[in-house]
Amino acid sequence: MLTMDWSNILSLFGAMLILAAVPSLSVLTVSSKSASGGFIHGFFATLGVVLGDIIFILIALWGLAFLQGAMGDFFVVLKYISGIYLIWLGINTLRAKVNNQNLTKVDAKSLSSSFSAGLLITLADQKAVIFYLGFLPTFVDVNNIAYLDTVVIILTAILTVGGMKLFYAFLAHRSGLLISRKNKRLINYLAGTLMISVGVFLLTSS
């Protein structure tokens, strides 16, 4: 049974879409593979990135449910730590310098190497699971998490993260360049503001 309502699902979709658009190492990896090896390599790198995000989402959702039951009141401390972390991450995103650089050429011999690159880049980012630990409880009640909620969240990640990374792959394949400095600043502003808002919500919610 689905416990999330449509407003939560749509809010989660919009938030994840904005965050997926933030220029990052995974974006650079996908774009580089696409620019040097063709769009198909960008596609397989995207598959790796999405798989990495799904793994982190599963850890965050079911890990949170376990932690809340096992840790009791101490779980509140984790919530505050996550809120502070998100605010800090948002401020850093707002202050981040924007570079408009050409993509570096990379070795794109096989589709499996492109897939592995996307997956390993995502899994190597340890702060991603901490981010999801603080981010997802804003949209779903981990006390009453249902399997269908998990499916909906994973599908949302596939559509937003996968869709945005494929968009970058397409741009890189066509032009060999990342997006403009102006657009990067706008994306960073939206993402930073969103992360700060979620962090404040965690710190002030009961």
Side-chain angles (χ1 to χ4, degrees):
M1 179 178 179
L2 184 66
T3 64
M4 299 175 67
D5 57 31
W6 279 105
S7 61
N8 281 340
I9 294 173
L10 292 176
S11 297
L12 177 64
F13 183 91
M16 292 189 74
L17 186 66
I18 293 173
L19 295 173
V22 177
S24 61
L25 189 56
S26 64
V27 168
L28 182 61
T29 300
V30 168
S31 301
S32 297
K33 289 290 185 179
S34 184
S36 60
F39 179 77
I40 186 63
H41 284 273
F43 175 80
F44 272 80
T46 296
L47 290 180
V49 172
V50 170
L51 178 59
D53 271 62
I54 290 174
I55 292 172
F56 282 140
I57 287 171
L58 291 174
I59 293 173
L61 286 178
W62 295 99
L64 277 173
F66 171 78
L67 287 174
Q68 187 149 346
M71 298 172 65
D73 292 338
F74 185 71
F75 185 81
V76 178
V77 177
L78 179 62
K79 186 187 76 165
Y80 287 129
I81 293 174
S82 298
I84 293 171
Y85 172 76
L86 285 176
I87 293 173
W88 174 80
L89 194 63
I91 292 173
N92 282 347
T93 301
L94 290 174
R95 297 176 58 187
K97 293 182 179 180
V98 175
N99 298 316
N100 194 27
Q101 60 190 36
N102 289 338
L103 295 172
T104 56
K105 297 294 182 181
V106 297
D107 183 22
K109 293 181 179 178
S110 69
L111 297 179
S112 61
S113 70
S114 296
F115 174 82
S116 299
L119 176 61
L120 294 176
I121 284 294
T122 305
L123 294 181
D125 186 9
Q126 293 102 345
K127 70 177 183 293
V129 70
I130 302 175
F131 171 77
Y132 277 122
L133 284 171
F135 181 75
L136 291 178
T138 309
F139 303 95
V140 62
D141 182 3
V142 295
N143 280 323
N144 301 308
I145 185 73
Y147 290 112
L148 190 54
D149 293 320
T150 305
V151 171
V152 168
I153 293 172
I154 288 176
L155 288 176
T156 301
I158 292 172
L159 291 174
T160 55
V161 177
M164 188 55 66
K165 295 300 187 283
L166 286 178
F167 175 70
Y168 276 115
F170 175 77
L171 288 182
H173 176 64
R174 297 286 296 195
S175 65
L177 297 173
L178 289 176
I179 58 176
S180 68
R181 290 171 61 91
K182 182 179 179 180
N183 288 339
K184 285 183 184 178
R185 290 193 187 97
L186 176 60
I187 292 172
N188 281 355
Y189 177 78
L190 291 174
T193 302
L194 176 62
M195 285 184 275
I196 291 172
S197 299
V198 172
V200 171
F201 175 82
L202 285 176
L203 293 178
T204 58
S205 63
S206 60

